[in-house]
Amino acid sequence: MLFRSQDAKKAQGFFGELFGWSTKAVPMPEGEYVMIAAPDGRTIGGYFAGPPAARQASWLPYLQVESAATIAAKIKQLGGAVMKEPFKVGDFATMAVVADPQGAGFALWQPSKPEDPGQPAAGHFCWNELASKDAAASVKFYSQIGGFTDKPMDMQGMGTYHVLESGGQGRAGIMAGQPPQPHAWLPYVHVTSADQTADKAKRLGATVIVPPTQIPNVGRFSIFADSQGGATGILQP
């Protein structure tokens, strides 16, 4: 997961205080890349300066693939876009920055050696959710590039929530977005208390978009935007 903003230092301070994340700078040909470490020390993402034209900060989720070049080519064939062709990220992986046919950005990540994400713990990302302009088209697209199976769930009068599964486990969710909600991926961070974390985010300058809300059989969630406009979800399982 990569957080892109015009003020990376500000983002590091905000999320570090909120989630207990620490950082480590890694020099890169295109600028300094700052890795994010969760409270248990595991690397979970990074910060990078966003493009000058970007109006607000945003998260860029990663999809792990066997071949970034093969999937990037397939994305083009399916109507998506490749903003940055596959390139080497040091000795860690090969990466590409892409977008689905409706414009939601994400990255392809081909690790140099097997990576075990482990079980999500407090301070780790635990879910990704796409508010889609066309949920059916999005489910088809991501199933084709990621080999996911769709497990539709009735949201009790609020439409259908599509869980993308792989290996018998839910990996991400897709639902129909409601205007003016953008067609974009939203990451969720595992927290021990959604209410306390949302309150703390607000004290640190964030705007709470969705107050802490209970989801039957799932947990308690909230969504906020930091002072640079980047949306982040939190989930208390």
Side-chain angles (χ1 to χ4, degrees):
M1 195 73 64
L2 184 67
F3 191 76
R4 301 177 295 178
S5 71
Q6 296 302 315
D7 191 337
K9 292 291 185 183
K10 187 174 184 179
Q12 292 166 34
F14 172 80
F15 289 109
E17 181 70 19
L18 184 62
F19 297 130
W21 290 347
S22 58
T23 60
K24 179 181 178 182
V26 179
M28 298 287 289
E30 300 170 335
E32 186 178 75
Y33 177 81
V34 180
M35 295 192 298
I36 300 171
D40 63 5
R42 282 190 283 171
T43 300
I44 59 172
Y47 299 103
F48 202 78
R55 295 183 180 180
Q56 64 183 37
S58 63
W59 285 104
L60 184 73
Y62 284 24
L63 174 64
Q64 185 171 317
V65 296
E66 291 186 1
S67 170
T70 298
I71 300 302
K74 190 168 186 178
I75 286 171
K76 291 179 183 179
Q77 294 172 359
L78 294 173
V82 176
M83 277 85 77
K84 191 167 182 57
E85 295 287 347
F87 63 97
K88 287 286 187 181
V89 182
D91 297 327
F92 304 108
T94 297
M95 175 181 172
V97 181
V98 299
D100 67 24
Q102 286 78 41
F106 62 105
L108 304 177
W109 184 258
Q110 176 190 336
S112 300
K113 57 184 180 181
E115 296 181 346
D116 179 11
Q119 292 298 316
H124 283 247
F125 291 104
C126 59
W127 194 246
N128 271 297
E129 188 173 84
L130 177 65
S132 176
K133 295 177 182 177
D134 185 335
S138 292
V139 169
K140 183 178 180 180
F141 171 80
Y142 285 100
S143 296
Q144 286 178 300
I145 67 165
F148 300 110
T149 55
D150 174 29
K151 183 179 180 181
M153 301 175 64
D154 183 8
M155 292 194 294
Q156 301 178 350
M158 297 178 63
T160 301
Y161 191 91
H162 300 270
V163 177
L164 300 182
E165 291 190 340
S166 175
Q169 294 186 3
R171 306 296 180 178
I174 295 176
M175 63 181 182
Q178 302 298 322
Q181 193 174 17
H183 178 87
W185 283 98
L186 175 71
Y188 284 80
V189 178
H190 180 149
V191 297
T192 55
S193 171
D195 294 79
Q196 292 179 10
T197 305
D199 285 343
K200 188 173 183 179
K202 190 174 181 179
R203 293 197 303 271
L204 292 172
T207 300
V208 177
I209 301 170
V210 179
T213 305
Q214 194 72 25
I215 305 175
N217 303 316
V218 175
R220 195 164 178 80
F221 85 104
S222 179
I223 300 171
F224 62 82
D226 74 307
S227 60
Q228 298 187 73
T232 306
I234 52 176
L235 177 64
Q236 174 190 341

